[in-house]
């Protein structure tokens, strides 16, 4: 930060947000206080705010389109509907995340068929009311934009990227068939050696792919577009506009 200070801008505020894990934590105030002492203003944001920020970042470049933005995280999944370039019409943060699903359902290695089926049923149940409400309100979906590690990993695995290149990932449209990579039949040790998949994501990728597929099914879409712009870009845009 010091290298960016100038006479015109001697102080550079540092802002940050925390999401699902900090919402779940009982002592998140302690984290906020510690970072405040270091000069970082941290906000533990609600799921709806997280969803709106993700939509803002991911919808760049798709102005005027009827979008569904899906942000699959470890503890939660944010789904936002709206027109690119405008405020979201409908948003919800589900306590459905790839880490949460893995810990709740996947006991076997690789996951047993019953475990996979139970996880799918759980996600479908969690999504059902939201998507029925969107349909009843007549909210159209022309494109699904998926952000975060599960979506980007799909492309990097499909392209067999030994070195991740975001320029070859951003904006790529992926069919629903590509999600079925048979990873669920592989052991964790084998998934760690899949080209294009970060080893640290191997433990949760099966759940992430499952959640993403259920988003497509619930939205009645056959494909999704991957975006490298997400909550970070939304946060930056919001902070910039507040400071204008």
């Amino acid at each position: 930060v010091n290298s960016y200070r100038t006479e015109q801008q001697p102080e550079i505020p540092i802002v940050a947000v925390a999401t699902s894990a900090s919402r779940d934590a009982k002592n998140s105030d302690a984290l906020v206080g510690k970072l405040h002492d270091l000069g970082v203003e941290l906000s533990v944001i609600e799921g709806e705010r997280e969803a709106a920020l993700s939509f803002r970042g991911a919808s760049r470049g798709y102005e005027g389109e009827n979008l569904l933005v899906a942000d699959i995280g470890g503890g939660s999944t944010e789904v936002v509907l709206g027109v690119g370039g405008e405020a979201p019409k409908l948003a919800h943060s589900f306590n459905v995340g790839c880490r949460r699903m893995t810990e709740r359902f996947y006991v076997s290695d690789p996951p047993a068929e019953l475990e996979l089926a139970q996880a799918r049923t759980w996600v479908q149940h969690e999504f059902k009311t939201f998507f029925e409400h969107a349909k009843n309100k007549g909210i159209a979906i022309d494109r699904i934009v998926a952000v975060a590690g599960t979506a980007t990993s799909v492309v990097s695995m499909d392209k067999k990227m030994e070195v991740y290149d975001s320029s070859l990932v951003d904006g790529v449209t992926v069919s629903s068939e590509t999600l079925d990579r048979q990873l669920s039949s592989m052991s964790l040790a084998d998934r760690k050696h899949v080209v294009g998949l970060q080893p640290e994501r191997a433990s949760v990728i099966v759940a992430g792919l499952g959640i993403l597929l259920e988003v497509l099914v619930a939205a009645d879409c056959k494909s999704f577009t991957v975006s490298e712009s997400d909550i970070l870009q939304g946060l930056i845009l919001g902070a910039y506009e507040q400071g204008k």
Side-chain angles (χ1 to χ4, degrees):
V1 174
N2 290 334
S3 63
Y4 290 99
R5 290 193 172 100
T6 65
E7 292 183 4
Q8 294 77 21
Q9 187 71 47
E11 296 297 327
I12 300 176
I14 302 174
V15 296
V17 296
T19 57
S20 176
S22 292
R23 289 196 295 267
D24 289 347
K26 295 180 180 179
N27 62 342
S28 59
D29 288 347
L31 175 63
V32 172
K34 290 289 186 180
L35 288 176
H36 176 76
D37 294 341
L38 296 173
V40 179
E41 296 303 321
L42 176 71
S43 298
V44 179
I45 60 174
E46 294 299 322
E48 286 69 23
R49 174 62 174 159
E50 181 180 357
L53 288 171
S54 292
F55 186 82
R56 182 70 185 280
S59 64
R60 293 186 65 194
Y62 303 108
E63 289 76 12
E65 293 189 40
N66 295 310
L67 303 176
L68 182 158
V69 171
D71 183 351
I72 299 170
S76 66
T77 291
E78 281 63 51
V79 175
V80 197
L81 300 174
V83 177
E86 300 179 10
K89 292 182 178 180
L90 193 64
H92 191 71
S93 178
F94 300 89
N95 283 327
V96 174
C98 54
R99 172 187 50 78
R100 198 184 297 271
M101 178 190 283
T102 300
E103 293 174 351
R104 180 169 179 173
F105 293 100
Y106 300 157
V107 177
S108 308
D109 181 24
E113 285 297 325
L114 179 59
E115 295 168 3
L116 294 168
Q118 290 174 333
R120 285 194 300 269
T121 299
W122 175 59
V123 178
Q124 291 164 4
H125 178 266
E126 293 293 315
F127 284 172
K128 183 178 180 181
T129 300
F130 174 83
F131 281 94
E132 286 182 347
H133 181 53
K135 184 177 181 179
N136 292 336
K137 288 177 68 71
I139 299 177
I141 302 171
D142 297 330
R143 182 195 299 269
I144 291 179
V145 179
V147 302
T150 294
T152 57
S153 293
V154 172
V155 179
S156 63
M157 287 188 292
D158 195 50
K159 293 180 179 289
K160 294 181 171 56
M161 292 184 185
E162 294 187 3
V163 178
Y164 186 80
D165 186 343
S166 61
S167 68
L168 299 177
V169 174
D170 189 50
V172 172
T173 297
V174 180
S175 69
S176 57
E177 289 79 10
T178 306
L179 293 176
D180 184 15
R181 297 183 51 88
Q182 304 300 315
L183 291 180
S184 61
S185 63
M186 299 172 60
S187 69
L188 174 58
D190 288 339
R191 291 198 299 273
K192 288 182 177 181
H193 293 289
V194 172
V195 177
L197 178 64
Q198 296 174 331
E200 59 269 25
R201 190 170 292 279
S203 62
V204 296
I205 189 63
V206 173
L209 294 176
I211 295 169
L212 183 52
L213 181 58
E214 293 303 330
V215 171
L216 267 64
V217 171
D220 194 24
C221 291
K222 302 299 184 184
S223 65
F224 64 94
T225 302
V226 181
S227 175
E228 285 278 6
S229 298
D230 52 18
I231 188 172
L232 177 59
Q233 284 74 17
L235 180 63
I236 292 171
L237 286 168
Y240 169 74
E241 291 174 352
Q242 289 180 359
K244 289 175 66 176

PDB file of all heavy atoms in Angstrom, residues 66-67 81-83 89-90 130-142:
ATOM      1  N   ASN A  66     -30.908 -11.085 -20.065  1.00  0.00           N
ATOM      2  CA  ASN A  66     -31.544 -11.658 -18.884  1.00  0.00           C
ATOM      3  C   ASN A  66     -30.616 -12.725 -18.316  1.00  0.00           C
ATOM      4  O   ASN A  66     -30.416 -13.767 -18.936  1.00  0.00           O
ATOM      5  CB  ASN A  66     -32.891 -12.286 -19.250  1.00  0.00           C
ATOM      6  CG  ASN A  66     -33.892 -11.260 -19.735  1.00  0.00           C
ATOM      7  OD1 ASN A  66     -34.103 -10.230 -19.085  1.00  0.00           O
ATOM      8  ND2 ASN A  66     -34.514 -11.521 -20.870  1.00  0.00           N
ATOM      9  N   LEU A  67     -30.052 -12.451 -17.163  1.00  0.00           N
ATOM     10  CA  LEU A  67     -28.987 -13.282 -16.624  1.00  0.00           C
ATOM     11  C   LEU A  67     -29.381 -13.994 -15.337  1.00  0.00           C
ATOM     12  O   LEU A  67     -30.183 -13.495 -14.551  1.00  0.00           O
ATOM     13  CB  LEU A  67     -27.746 -12.429 -16.325  1.00  0.00           C
ATOM     14  CG  LEU A  67     -27.136 -11.624 -17.460  1.00  0.00           C
ATOM     15  CD1 LEU A  67     -25.974 -10.779 -16.913  1.00  0.00           C
ATOM     16  CD2 LEU A  67     -26.644 -12.532 -18.577  1.00  0.00           C
ATOM     17  N   LEU A  81     -30.837 -13.165 -10.226  1.00  0.00           N
ATOM     18  CA  LEU A  81     -31.506 -12.998 -11.506  1.00  0.00           C
ATOM     19  C   LEU A  81     -31.694 -11.519 -11.790  1.00  0.00           C
ATOM     20  O   LEU A  81     -32.009 -10.729 -10.890  1.00  0.00           O
ATOM     21  CB  LEU A  81     -32.880 -13.684 -11.486  1.00  0.00           C
ATOM     22  CG  LEU A  81     -32.903 -15.184 -11.213  1.00  0.00           C
ATOM     23  CD1 LEU A  81     -34.342 -15.665 -11.086  1.00  0.00           C
ATOM     24  CD2 LEU A  81     -32.200 -15.947 -12.315  1.00  0.00           C
ATOM     25  N   GLY A  82     -31.511 -11.135 -13.046  1.00  0.00           N
ATOM     26  CA  GLY A  82     -31.715  -9.748 -13.415  1.00  0.00           C
ATOM     27  C   GLY A  82     -31.200  -9.468 -14.806  1.00  0.00           C
ATOM     28  O   GLY A  82     -30.734 -10.370 -15.510  1.00  0.00           O
ATOM     29  N   VAL A  83     -31.280  -8.224 -15.180  1.00  0.00           N
ATOM     30  CA  VAL A  83     -30.792  -7.775 -16.482  1.00  0.00           C
ATOM     31  C   VAL A  83     -29.404  -7.185 -16.305  1.00  0.00           C
ATOM     32  O   VAL A  83     -29.188  -6.363 -15.399  1.00  0.00           O
ATOM     33  CB  VAL A  83     -31.751  -6.734 -17.095  1.00  0.00           C
ATOM     34  CG1 VAL A  83     -31.208  -6.206 -18.428  1.00  0.00           C
ATOM     35  CG2 VAL A  83     -33.136  -7.334 -17.291  1.00  0.00           C
ATOM     36  N   LYS A  89     -33.103  -8.418  -9.940  1.00  0.00           N
ATOM     37  CA  LYS A  89     -34.546  -8.532  -9.722  1.00  0.00           C
ATOM     38  C   LYS A  89     -34.865  -9.478  -8.579  1.00  0.00           C
ATOM     39  O   LYS A  89     -35.837  -9.288  -7.848  1.00  0.00           O
ATOM     40  CB  LYS A  89     -35.224  -9.035 -10.998  1.00  0.00           C
ATOM     41  CG  LYS A  89     -35.210  -8.054 -12.154  1.00  0.00           C
ATOM     42  CD  LYS A  89     -35.952  -8.636 -13.357  1.00  0.00           C
ATOM     43  CE  LYS A  89     -35.981  -7.646 -14.510  1.00  0.00           C
ATOM     44  NZ  LYS A  89     -36.699  -8.213 -15.702  1.00  0.00           N
ATOM     45  N   LEU A  90     -34.060 -10.514  -8.458  1.00  0.00           N
ATOM     46  CA  LEU A  90     -34.319 -11.538  -7.451  1.00  0.00           C
ATOM     47  C   LEU A  90     -32.992 -12.194  -7.076  1.00  0.00           C
ATOM     48  O   LEU A  90     -32.194 -12.506  -7.965  1.00  0.00           O
ATOM     49  CB  LEU A  90     -35.288 -12.585  -8.006  1.00  0.00           C
ATOM     50  CG  LEU A  90     -35.933 -13.566  -7.028  1.00  0.00           C
ATOM     51  CD1 LEU A  90     -36.829 -12.820  -6.029  1.00  0.00           C
ATOM     52  CD2 LEU A  90     -36.762 -14.597  -7.788  1.00  0.00           C
ATOM     53  N   PHE A 130     -37.308 -21.081  -4.690  1.00  0.00           N
ATOM     54  CA  PHE A 130     -36.759 -19.884  -5.334  1.00  0.00           C
ATOM     55  C   PHE A 130     -37.046 -19.886  -6.830  1.00  0.00           C
ATOM     56  O   PHE A 130     -37.511 -18.885  -7.396  1.00  0.00           O
ATOM     57  CB  PHE A 130     -35.253 -19.799  -5.084  1.00  0.00           C
ATOM     58  CG  PHE A 130     -34.568 -18.676  -5.817  1.00  0.00           C
ATOM     59  CD1 PHE A 130     -34.561 -17.393  -5.300  1.00  0.00           C
ATOM     60  CD2 PHE A 130     -33.936 -18.906  -7.039  1.00  0.00           C
ATOM     61  CE1 PHE A 130     -33.929 -16.357  -5.980  1.00  0.00           C
ATOM     62  CE2 PHE A 130     -33.303 -17.879  -7.716  1.00  0.00           C
ATOM     63  CZ  PHE A 130     -33.298 -16.603  -7.183  1.00  0.00           C
ATOM     64  N   PHE A 131     -36.757 -20.992  -7.485  1.00  0.00           N
ATOM     65  CA  PHE A 131     -36.930 -21.037  -8.933  1.00  0.00           C
ATOM     66  C   PHE A 131     -38.407 -21.051  -9.320  1.00  0.00           C
ATOM     67  O   PHE A 131     -38.773 -20.506 -10.368  1.00  0.00           O
ATOM     68  CB  PHE A 131     -36.188 -22.239  -9.513  1.00  0.00           C
ATOM     69  CG  PHE A 131     -34.715 -22.004  -9.662  1.00  0.00           C
ATOM     70  CD1 PHE A 131     -33.831 -22.400  -8.664  1.00  0.00           C
ATOM     71  CD2 PHE A 131     -34.202 -21.369 -10.779  1.00  0.00           C
ATOM     72  CE1 PHE A 131     -32.470 -22.170  -8.790  1.00  0.00           C
ATOM     73  CE2 PHE A 131     -32.847 -21.136 -10.915  1.00  0.00           C
ATOM     74  CZ  PHE A 131     -31.970 -21.540  -9.919  1.00  0.00           C
ATOM     75  N   GLU A 132     -39.258 -21.636  -8.503  1.00  0.00           N
ATOM     76  CA  GLU A 132     -40.695 -21.570  -8.764  1.00  0.00           C
ATOM     77  C   GLU A 132     -41.179 -20.129  -8.642  1.00  0.00           C
ATOM     78  O   GLU A 132     -42.000 -19.670  -9.448  1.00  0.00           O
ATOM     79  CB  GLU A 132     -41.451 -22.472  -7.784  1.00  0.00           C
ATOM     80  CG  GLU A 132     -41.323 -23.953  -8.089  1.00  0.00           C
ATOM     81  CD  GLU A 132     -42.121 -24.812  -7.116  1.00  0.00           C
ATOM     82  OE1 GLU A 132     -42.556 -24.276  -6.066  1.00  0.00           O
ATOM     83  OE2 GLU A 132     -42.297 -26.011  -7.401  1.00  0.00           O
ATOM     84  N   HIS A 133     -40.669 -19.410  -7.655  1.00  0.00           N
ATOM     85  CA  HIS A 133     -41.031 -18.003  -7.463  1.00  0.00           C
ATOM     86  C   HIS A 133     -40.583 -17.169  -8.667  1.00  0.00           C
ATOM     87  O   HIS A 133     -41.352 -16.315  -9.149  1.00  0.00           O
ATOM     88  CB  HIS A 133     -40.389 -17.481  -6.186  1.00  0.00           C
ATOM     89  CG  HIS A 133     -40.714 -16.053  -5.877  1.00  0.00           C
ATOM     90  ND1 HIS A 133     -42.004 -15.574  -5.816  1.00  0.00           N
ATOM     91  CD2 HIS A 133     -39.901 -14.987  -5.598  1.00  0.00           C
ATOM     92  CE1 HIS A 133     -41.981 -14.283  -5.524  1.00  0.00           C
ATOM     93  NE2 HIS A 133     -40.715 -13.909  -5.382  1.00  0.00           N
ATOM     94  N   ALA A 134     -39.375 -17.410  -9.149  1.00  0.00           N
ATOM     95  CA  ALA A 134     -38.873 -16.672 -10.309  1.00  0.00           C
ATOM     96  C   ALA A 134     -39.741 -16.938 -11.541  1.00  0.00           C
ATOM     97  O   ALA A 134     -40.062 -16.020 -12.313  1.00  0.00           O
ATOM     98  CB  ALA A 134     -37.428 -17.070 -10.596  1.00  0.00           C
ATOM     99  N   LYS A 135     -40.122 -18.185 -11.716  1.00  0.00           N
ATOM    100  CA  LYS A 135     -40.971 -18.548 -12.863  1.00  0.00           C
ATOM    101  C   LYS A 135     -42.332 -17.875 -12.765  1.00  0.00           C
ATOM    102  O   LYS A 135     -42.855 -17.350 -13.756  1.00  0.00           O
ATOM    103  CB  LYS A 135     -41.122 -20.064 -12.926  1.00  0.00           C
ATOM    104  CG  LYS A 135     -41.906 -20.551 -14.137  1.00  0.00           C
ATOM    105  CD  LYS A 135     -41.961 -22.073 -14.181  1.00  0.00           C
ATOM    106  CE  LYS A 135     -42.725 -22.555 -15.415  1.00  0.00           C
ATOM    107  NZ  LYS A 135     -42.759 -24.048 -15.469  1.00  0.00           N
ATOM    108  N   ASN A 136     -42.908 -17.865 -11.575  1.00  0.00           N
ATOM    109  CA  ASN A 136     -44.215 -17.236 -11.376  1.00  0.00           C
ATOM    110  C   ASN A 136     -44.171 -15.734 -11.602  1.00  0.00           C
ATOM    111  O   ASN A 136     -45.184 -15.138 -12.003  1.00  0.00           O
ATOM    112  CB  ASN A 136     -44.739 -17.543  -9.965  1.00  0.00           C
ATOM    113  CG  ASN A 136     -45.084 -19.011  -9.781  1.00  0.00           C
ATOM    114  OD1 ASN A 136     -45.365 -19.711 -10.745  1.00  0.00           O
ATOM    115  ND2 ASN A 136     -45.061 -19.477  -8.534  1.00  0.00           N
ATOM    116  N   LYS A 137     -43.019 -15.126 -11.336  1.00  0.00           N
ATOM    117  CA  LYS A 137     -42.859 -13.689 -11.569  1.00  0.00           C
ATOM    118  C   LYS A 137     -42.527 -13.376 -13.034  1.00  0.00           C
ATOM    119  O   LYS A 137     -42.411 -12.201 -13.406  1.00  0.00           O
ATOM    120  CB  LYS A 137     -41.761 -13.123 -10.662  1.00  0.00           C
ATOM    121  CG  LYS A 137     -42.143 -13.039  -9.198  1.00  0.00           C
ATOM    122  CD  LYS A 137     -40.997 -12.530  -8.338  1.00  0.00           C
ATOM    123  CE  LYS A 137     -40.682 -11.065  -8.624  1.00  0.00           C
ATOM    124  NZ  LYS A 137     -41.745 -10.176  -8.113  1.00  0.00           N
ATOM    125  N   GLY A 138     -42.360 -14.415 -13.836  1.00  0.00           N
ATOM    126  CA  GLY A 138     -42.076 -14.219 -15.255  1.00  0.00           C
ATOM    127  C   GLY A 138     -40.676 -13.719 -15.535  1.00  0.00           C
ATOM    128  O   GLY A 138     -40.429 -13.068 -16.563  1.00  0.00           O
ATOM    129  N   ILE A 139     -39.722 -14.031 -14.663  1.00  0.00           N
ATOM    130  CA  ILE A 139     -38.340 -13.587 -14.860  1.00  0.00           C
ATOM    131  C   ILE A 139     -37.651 -14.530 -15.847  1.00  0.00           C
ATOM    132  O   ILE A 139     -37.533 -15.729 -15.589  1.00  0.00           O
ATOM    133  CB  ILE A 139     -37.574 -13.555 -13.525  1.00  0.00           C
ATOM    134  CG1 ILE A 139     -38.250 -12.568 -12.563  1.00  0.00           C
ATOM    135  CG2 ILE A 139     -36.115 -13.162 -13.752  1.00  0.00           C
ATOM    136  CD1 ILE A 139     -37.603 -12.530 -11.188  1.00  0.00           C
ATOM    137  N   ALA A 140     -37.211 -13.977 -16.953  1.00  0.00           N
ATOM    138  CA  ALA A 140     -36.587 -14.788 -18.005  1.00  0.00           C
ATOM    139  C   ALA A 140     -35.105 -15.003 -17.723  1.00  0.00           C
ATOM    140  O   ALA A 140     -34.455 -14.190 -17.045  1.00  0.00           O
ATOM    141  CB  ALA A 140     -36.760 -14.108 -19.356  1.00  0.00           C
ATOM    142  N   ILE A 141     -34.578 -16.097 -18.242  1.00  0.00           N
ATOM    143  CA  ILE A 141     -33.155 -16.402 -18.130  1.00  0.00           C
ATOM    144  C   ILE A 141     -32.633 -16.729 -19.527  1.00  0.00           C
ATOM    145  O   ILE A 141     -32.998 -17.753 -20.102  1.00  0.00           O
ATOM    146  CB  ILE A 141     -32.895 -17.592 -17.192  1.00  0.00           C
ATOM    147  CG1 ILE A 141     -33.451 -17.311 -15.788  1.00  0.00           C
ATOM    148  CG2 ILE A 141     -31.392 -17.904 -17.110  1.00  0.00           C
ATOM    149  CD1 ILE A 141     -33.421 -18.518 -14.873  1.00  0.00           C
ATOM    150  N   ASP A 142     -31.809 -15.848 -20.077  1.00  0.00           N
ATOM    151  CA  ASP A 142     -31.208 -16.080 -21.394  1.00  0.00           C
ATOM    152  C   ASP A 142     -29.826 -16.702 -21.285  1.00  0.00           C
ATOM    153  O   ASP A 142     -29.382 -17.408 -22.184  1.00  0.00           O
ATOM    154  CB  ASP A 142     -31.093 -14.762 -22.176  1.00  0.00           C
ATOM    155  CG  ASP A 142     -32.441 -14.134 -22.467  1.00  0.00           C
ATOM    156  OD1 ASP A 142     -33.428 -14.895 -22.608  1.00  0.00           O
ATOM    157  OD2 ASP A 142     -32.522 -12.895 -22.529  1.00  0.00           O
TER     158      ASP A 142
END
